Amino acid sequence: MLFSRKDLIQLLGPLIVEQILAVLVGMVDVVMVAAVGEAAVSGVALVDSISILIIQLLSALATGGAVVCSQYMGKKQSRSACHAAGQLILITAAFALLFASVALLGGRHLLKLIFGRAEAAVLDNGASYFRITALSYLFLALYNSGAALFRSMGNSRVSMAVSLVMNGVNVAGNAICIYGLHMGVEGVAIPTLASRVIAAILMMALVRDPDNPIHVSGIHDLIPHGGTIKKILGVGVPSGLENGMFQFGKIALQSLVSTLGTAAIASFAVASNLVTLHYLPGNAVGLALITIVGRCVGAGEFEQAKQYTKKLILVDYALVFLICVSMALASHRILGMYHLSQEASRLARRMILIHSLAMAVWPLAFPLPNTLRAGLDAKFTMVVSVFSMWAFRFGFAYLFVKAWHLGVAGIWYGMFIDWTFRAVVFTARFRGFAARAQQI
């Protein structure tokens, strides 16, 4: 077996810790900005729906690089993996600069175009937050690329350590800026920028270490190479389009939420923030599968890839069950930290409870497809995901909210139908994984 139980624990454990750090800091951000008022919470939430789109596009490119590097590692071609690492950094930096330029030049107009019905105070807070966080996209791209490369080596402890530093700087900066300096949304945005700059510097310094199996040794690794870039984009572009359409759909739904009033926007923002805890183990499993399955495919061990996938999905289910039960029982106390109005708090608690039940299908809908992507089946996952997003999540959400008047919870009812469709299709596709991977 390519990975022992100890290897799996050493890879998955730090990934789970890293995901916990990211989610907890996100929750702390919302709690801290809540002290400024519901308009600030809502403004940050609206911008985050756009920022997440950009972050997911950059993460998709990093995934493409991780798959290519993992397969080279499986083939014992370390020099090719190092060259692919340089190409990954080059690609993600270029795209990040493009996204930042668009956000800085047209950010406020973009917010008005998408969320024009939101209150003026919400849009004002959102514009301020967007302007500052856009400056951090390049640094986030460099951090994500480095983290993906270390995961390809099977060393997730490095990305965890850098994440710990980044999130520590972010939380400390938030506390100083909001509670000490009494700043508004800028008090959340500036520490985010500073933390990402520090993380990028650390990660790029570590990636240059020649003792690493995958490293960037010089400028020659950054000179564009069409063949390697094509391989990375072969996974990254379909994944990026998939993530992009997914987030566009979420933005469209956020726009739908913005028509339901400030209480609905705030409750949706807080509930969406809290239920990210449900995704923690699955996100870690998904990242681990990229490395594990990519290495197995590179080595020609396709059945091992299937067995590792089944093991990790079962681990995800066990952890999801514990998290969902715990959150459902403690939701009332947790929501008390956000200082929401009574109506917003009631709506948020209801959404948390129904989300906990729907998590029964999520591991098959989201972590599982990473096995397909690592086996270079990214185009299939893209087509299924884009279709399901618009046909089910958006289509049914619109019906639930506008036609059947179910309120903000209707957004999530459509989402759960989307999950179920994905789970059925991806599970069926997974059964033939070994036969397809052998033909690549």
Side-chain angles (χ1 to χ4, degrees):
M1 299 293 282
L2 292 178
F3 294 87
S4 65
R5 177 176 293 184
K6 182 179 179 180
D7 292 332
L8 294 177
I9 293 172
Q10 288 179 341
L11 177 62
L12 189 59
L15 288 175
I16 292 177
V17 173
E18 186 177 347
Q19 294 298 311
I20 291 172
L21 286 172
V23 169
L24 288 180
V25 168
M27 292 171 62
V28 169
D29 277 353
V30 176
V31 170
M32 288 183 171
V33 78
V36 184
E38 281 194 2
V41 174
S42 300
V44 169
L46 296 185
V47 173
D48 279 347
S49 63
I50 299 174
S51 294
I52 290 171
L53 165 63
I54 295 169
I55 290 168
Q56 288 184 343
L57 291 173
L58 295 173
S59 296
L61 294 172
T63 296
V67 168
V68 172
C69 289
S70 294
Q71 291 189 356
Y72 279 134
M73 292 291 288
K75 295 175 183 178
K76 309 296 183 184
Q77 297 178 4
S78 180
R79 182 59 240 166
S80 295
C82 292
H83 182 65
Q87 299 301 291
L88 172 61
I89 291 171
L90 176 68
I91 293 168
T92 54
F95 275 94
L97 288 172
L98 174 63
F99 297 149
S101 298
V102 172
L104 289 170
L105 293 174
R108 187 175 187 86
H109 297 294
L110 190 61
L111 291 177
K112 290 188 70 174
L113 177 65
I114 301 173
F115 308 116
R117 295 184 182 180
E119 296 175 6
V122 173
L123 290 175
D124 288 341
N125 279 283
S128 297
Y129 182 71
F130 199 14
R131 185 171 56 253
I132 298 170
T133 54
L135 297 172
S136 72
Y137 293 157
L138 171 62
F139 305 103
L140 182 61
L142 295 176
Y143 163 75
N144 281 341
S145 297
L149 294 174
F150 277 102
R151 288 193 293 268
S152 296
M153 303 178 219
N155 185 356
S156 56
R157 293 189 301 277
V158 169
S159 59
M160 179 191 71
V162 176
S163 177
L164 181 61
V165 173
M166 177 173 66
N167 290 315
V169 170
N170 193 15
V171 171
N174 286 345
I176 293 170
C177 292
I178 293 178
Y179 299 126
L181 302 178
H182 305 290
M183 299 172 67
V185 290
E186 294 85 354
V188 177
I190 292 173
T192 296
L193 171 60
S195 65
R196 290 173 177 175
V197 170
I198 292 171
I201 292 171
L202 289 174
M203 193 61 80
M204 289 301 98
L206 292 167
V207 164
R208 287 182 52 80
D209 187 348
D211 292 333
N212 294 322
I214 300 176
H215 58 272
V216 179
S217 56
I219 194 68
H220 58 276
D221 284 328
L222 299 175
I223 298 173
H225 183 269
T228 305
I229 291 175
K230 184 178 179 180
K231 288 181 180 180
I232 294 173
L233 295 181
V235 178
V237 168
S239 297
L241 289 173
E242 177 184 336
N243 291 346
M245 287 297 102
F246 180 78
Q247 195 59 30
F248 272 126
K250 291 182 70 174
I251 292 172
L253 293 176
Q254 186 76 53
S255 182
L256 184 59
V257 172
S258 70
T259 67
L260 300 175
T262 300
I265 296 174
S267 66
F268 188 80
V270 169
S272 297
N273 184 255
L274 285 171
V275 298
T276 53
L277 290 172
H278 293 173
Y279 308 142
L280 285 177
N283 289 339
V285 164
L287 292 172
L289 285 173
I290 292 293
T291 297
I292 293 167
V293 176
R295 192 84 62 85
C296 289
V297 169
E301 297 289 348
F302 308 110
E303 287 299 328
Q304 283 194 42
K306 291 188 69 174
Q307 293 304 314
Y308 286 129
T309 299
K310 292 175 182 178
K311 286 181 181 180
L312 291 180
I313 293 296
L314 288 175
V315 170
D316 185 17
Y317 266 111
L319 295 175
V320 162
F321 177 78
L322 293 175
I323 293 170
C324 287
V325 170
S326 300
M327 181 173 289
L329 293 175
S331 60
H332 184 73
R333 290 184 178 180
I334 295 172
L335 288 170
M337 297 187 299
Y338 288 86
H339 309 290
L340 297 173
S341 65
Q342 185 175 355
E343 175 65 10
S345 182
R346 181 187 66 81
L347 289 172
R349 187 166 188 269
R350 180 186 176 195
M351 286 189 283
I352 290 171
L353 294 177
I354 60 177
H355 193 281
S356 297
L357 294 174
M359 284 298 293
V361 298
W362 189 85
L364 299 177
F366 289 92
L368 179 63
N370 270 8
T371 289
L372 304 179
R373 295 183 186 103
L376 302 182
D377 201 10
K379 290 182 180 178
F380 177 82
T381 65
M382 176 192 71
V383 172
V384 172
S385 298
V386 170
F387 169 77
S388 185
M389 174 74 210
W390 292 105
F392 298 114
R393 182 178 297 214
F394 182 77
F396 275 97
Y398 193 88
L399 287 174
F400 286 137
V401 173
K402 291 297 186 180
W404 299 328
H405 306 292
L406 295 180
V408 68
I411 303 291
W412 279 8
Y413 295 147
M415 179 173 72
F416 302 149
I417 295 172
D418 168 36
W419 290 4
T420 302
F421 177 81
R422 291 171 189 251
V424 170
V425 175
F426 290 142
T427 300
R429 187 73 167 183
F430 173 70
R431 290 172 182 163
F433 171 80
R436 279 188 303 278
Q438 288 175 358
Q439 298 173 3
I440 297 173

